[in-house]
Amino acid sequence: MRTFISIEIPEDIKREILKIQKELPEFRGKLTETDNLHLTLKFLGEINEKKAEEVRKKLREIKFNKFDAEIDSIGVFSEKFVRIVWLHVSNCEELQKEIDEKLSELFEKEKRFMGHLTIARVKSVKNKKEFLEKISQIKISEMKFVVKNFNLKKSILTEEKPFYEDIEAYNLEI
């Protein structure tokens, strides 16, 4: 099964993200479906049931306090090859490091983590300079939320869209 560890985005924040998606300049590609918006803390890839159980046990050991996260900017990974439009999510690095540490015997640690939500996958744009300029002009209103848990999920890829299913949720301390 194809697995990852993520933070869910609250519904009120998803509604704000939908407004931002509507402001994106014209492109060929697709917007991330609102119900699929999440912050990936660690992508585990294809794993079997046995390894999934090991991951679940390790994740249950994590003791971490709930915390505030904030969506504070919009961008793309590469201005040369615009493929992903993202929203930056700050303050999730410590939880990500904790997860990386717990799973270090099973998976390689992330080389560099940047908390982000993929809001669009771009195949092509007519005018890249104009597209990037318009993206930089989108105003991000304050979007803060409390992270109370994280999830181990599996993704089911279909022709239409991916579906994400919880394997297990892990509550953070109060």
Side-chain angles (χ1 to χ4, degrees):
M1 67 184 124
R2 187 179 161 93
T3 56
F4 61 95
I5 299 164
S6 69
I7 291 173
E8 294 303 308
I9 307 302
E11 290 304 316
D12 60 327
I13 301 290
K14 285 181 180 181
R15 285 191 291 278
E16 290 302 311
I17 294 169
L18 186 58
K19 290 177 193 171
I20 293 168
Q21 286 177 315
K22 287 178 179 172
E23 283 186 60
L24 292 176
E26 192 181 324
F27 69 94
R28 227 184 85 226
K30 71 188 238 64
L31 298 174
T32 303
E33 297 84 359
T34 311
D35 46 337
N36 281 352
L37 288 167
H38 65 274
L39 168 68
T40 300
L41 294 168
K42 188 164 187 69
F43 180 72
L44 306 178
E46 291 287 338
I47 61 173
N48 59 28
E49 278 299 331
K50 185 175 183 273
K51 196 160 190 177
E53 190 48 46
E54 289 177 60
V55 168
R56 290 164 75 175
K57 280 182 192 159
K58 293 271 185 203
L59 293 178
R60 285 180 201 134
E61 295 171 10
I62 291 177
K63 301 284 180 245
F64 203 90
N65 289 330
K66 67 180 182 173
F67 60 94
D68 292 327
E70 181 177 6
I71 295 171
D72 55 18
S73 59
I74 187 169
V76 298
F77 284 119
S78 165
E79 292 191 356
K80 278 185 182 171
F81 307 103
V82 177
R83 294 290 173 254
I84 302 285
V85 180
W86 48 253
L87 294 174
H88 179 256
V89 184
S90 59
N91 207 25
C92 298
E93 299 78 12
E94 292 305 313
L95 177 58
Q96 194 284 325
K97 280 183 197 162
E98 186 73 21
I99 289 168
D100 242 359
E101 199 54 52
K102 278 289 176 206
L103 299 178
S104 62
E105 293 170 19
L106 303 171
F107 298 92
E108 203 175 300
K109 287 185 181 181
E110 299 296 317
K111 286 177 179 54
R112 61 185 188 116
F113 171 77
M114 194 267 279
H116 71 280
L117 302 172
T118 297
I119 63 168
R121 295 182 186 282
V122 178
K123 287 196 173 140
S124 66
V125 294
K126 281 187 179 125
N127 181 327
K128 188 171 31 172
K129 187 175 183 247
E130 193 179 291
F131 181 84
L132 292 169
E133 211 170 278
K134 285 183 177 176
I135 290 242
S136 71
Q137 292 168 357
I138 295 174
K139 298 279 180 264
I140 306 297
S141 57
E142 186 176 281
M143 287 188 274
K144 289 184 179 181
F145 60 99
V146 178
V147 177
K148 298 175 186 168
N149 56 31
F150 63 93
N151 302 284
L152 174 61
K153 296 179 97 67
K154 69 177 173 183
S155 70
I156 300 144
L157 304 176
T158 68
E159 297 253 334
E160 261 174 54
K161 67 176 191 172
F163 289 94
Y164 304 130
E165 197 176 284
D166 285 351
I167 296 173
E168 191 166 330
Y170 305 90
N171 290 325
L172 299 178
E173 310 281 308
I174 295 169

